[in-house]
Amino acid sequence: MTNNSPNTDQPKEELTPEAEAVINRARRSFGVSIMIMLVGFIAVAGALVYRVMQNSSADQYQAQSIALPQGAEVRNAVAQSGTITLTLDVEGETVVRIVDAKTGNVIRDIRFTPEIAE
């Protein structure tokens, strides 16, 4: 039968300095790539935890309807930070209406009127 175990009687060959430098460079490269991969895994796990722990926007925007002035045209609408901001055109006048996104109640109307030149 043949003996497949490594021969421990023979002394190990010493590596040349160039070979040792290549092996050390490969080890460093492997270590750096493992660290980058671990940072990536941590970032993905952190993003998942953040998304799970974040309040859903369904709780923030529950308004079913918003009252508009008669004949108003909506030019723009932006939902942000629990409010809905509407830019309206009411009979040639521009009005910004800020509405509570949870209740649909008007928080404030801001009217833009032309400035009279003196």
Side-chain angles (χ1 to χ4, degrees), residues 15-74:
L15 296 175
T16 63
E18 294 84 14
E20 284 184 24
V22 168
I23 290 173
N24 286 337
R25 190 177 326 136
R27 285 182 181 155
R28 270 194 311 271
S29 175
F30 178 74
V32 167
S33 65
I34 289 295
M35 292 302 290
I36 290 172
M37 188 171 60
L38 286 175
V39 168
F41 282 140
I42 291 170
V44 168
L48 289 174
V49 168
Y50 173 76
R51 294 288 282 171
V52 168
M53 300 302 288
Q54 186 180 7
N55 290 339
S56 68
S57 61
D59 295 340
Q60 201 172 28
Y61 300 102
Q62 295 178 351
Q64 296 296 316
S65 63
I66 298 172
L68 297 177
Q70 187 71 25
E73 283 187 48
V74 178

Side-chain angles (χ1 to χ4, degrees), residues 59-67 80-86 97-108:
D59 295 340
Q60 201 172 28
Y61 300 102
Q62 295 178 351
Q64 296 296 316
S65 63
I66 298 172
Q80 182 181 3
S81 302
T83 61
I84 301 171
T85 305
L86 303 168
R97 178 167 278 192
I98 302 171
V99 179
D100 183 5
K102 206 169 225 181
T103 63
N105 294 334
V106 176
I107 296 173
R108 181 169 210 174

